[in-house]
Amino acid sequence: HEYGDLYIDVGTALLHQSNYLDALQLFHKVVETNEYSKESSVLLAIAKCYSHINLWEKCIETYNKVLVQEPDNVNAILNLAGVYCQLNQTEKAVEILTPSNSLSLKSFPSSQHHSSSSSPLLTSTNPNSNITIGNTSDIRISIQKAFIHHMCDQTDDFVREALPIVRDSLEFMSEQAVTRGKARVLSRKRNREFDNQTENENDSD
């Protein structure tokens, strides 16, 4: 479709303006074409529009379309879990966020409330951690799971999920501090060597 990119840009602008119905109309025109029919970014935008107008079944169906194509799409995983939170289906939300989960469209009650929140990213450096080293996607998912447990007053599950992240973050910050300290010591050493060399050259003159 020669206007596909333009439709996406305008649809995205309409989404940001909370004009969800018009945005959906443009996004659907785009996915009707073979070129964009499997474009995950467009499907994610469609799902977001559906969530804003409370069309939960279509929203879940669309997120699952993304995950069929890209099982490791973190945005789809996190947003789908957020939808289940809004529907008070916290067990399903945790299941979605759990590795080796089986993602499939299932029936659900039409209740709604609660919302998810975003969290800062951390990089795990602990080789004993359950979180993949350096994989911020895994950490985002673990943080979201911890948030859901906390929201549901599931203290034991919250601590079990959150404590490794806290430990890894503290270890990471400690390692960073040591690295910065070593860099400062090395810099001062080099400066002293340069000053000594300069003084020796001046003395020889």
Side-chain angles (χ1 to χ4, degrees):
H1 197 293
E2 60 179 318
Y3 295 111
D5 290 340
L6 177 61
Y7 283 5
I8 293 172
D9 290 341
V10 175
T12 301
L14 291 171
L15 172 58
H16 290 159
Q17 292 178 344
S18 302
N19 192 342
Y20 307 118
L21 293 178
D22 287 343
L24 275 172
Q25 185 177 5
L26 286 177
F27 289 139
H28 279 304
K29 285 184 178 296
V30 170
V31 297
E32 287 172 0
T33 67
N34 291 330
E35 182 180 356
Y36 295 95
S37 61
K38 295 184 178 181
E39 182 69 39
S40 61
S41 62
V42 179
L43 293 175
L44 288 171
I46 290 173
K48 190 171 185 179
C49 289
Y50 282 141
S51 70
H52 281 293
I53 58 179
N54 299 335
L55 292 179
W56 302 113
E57 186 172 2
K58 288 183 176 293
C59 178
I60 290 174
E61 182 180 3
T62 306
Y63 280 132
N64 274 291
K65 284 181 180 179
V66 176
L67 291 169
V68 167
Q69 299 169 187
E70 302 176 19
D72 296 325
N73 190 303
V74 176
N75 287 328
I77 293 171
L78 292 176
N79 289 330
L80 181 56
V83 169
Y84 281 116
C85 280
Q86 290 180 304
L87 298 171
N88 290 326
Q89 294 189 58
T90 54
E91 290 185 4
K92 182 62 179 177
V94 171
E95 178 187 339
I96 294 297
L97 294 168
T98 301
S100 73
N101 62 67
S102 177
L103 295 173
S104 59
L105 186 62
K106 298 181 180 179
S107 58
F108 58 93
S110 58
S111 58
Q112 62 188 69
H113 286 305
H114 289 309
S115 62
S116 60
S117 67
S118 57
S119 303
L121 303 185
L122 304 171
T123 302
S124 171
T125 59
N126 185 351
N128 298 319
S129 172
N130 291 326
I131 302 171
T132 302
I133 296 174
N135 191 333
T136 56
S137 297
D138 286 351
I139 297 172
R140 288 174 64 190
I141 291 173
S142 293
I143 290 173
Q144 183 77 332
K145 283 176 67 178
F147 168 77
I148 293 171
H149 289 312
H150 182 62
M151 182 181 68
C152 298
D153 294 324
Q154 298 169 345
T155 305
D156 291 344
D157 291 331
F158 169 68
V159 172
R160 185 178 65 251
E161 197 68 46
L163 192 56
I165 302 173
V166 173
R167 286 173 175 166
D168 287 338
S169 67
L170 291 174
E171 181 178 336
F172 174 74
M173 288 186 288
S174 176
E175 289 179 356
Q176 290 292 93
V178 170
T179 300
R180 287 194 295 270
K182 289 180 178 179
R184 285 194 293 269
V185 170
L186 181 61
S187 177
R188 286 195 293 268
K189 181 180 178 181
R190 287 174 176 171
N191 288 337
R192 286 196 299 270
E193 290 175 350
F194 177 78
D195 291 341
N196 291 336
Q197 182 180 356
T198 302
E199 289 178 2
N200 291 335
E201 290 176 352
N202 292 335
D203 291 341
S204 62
D205 291 341

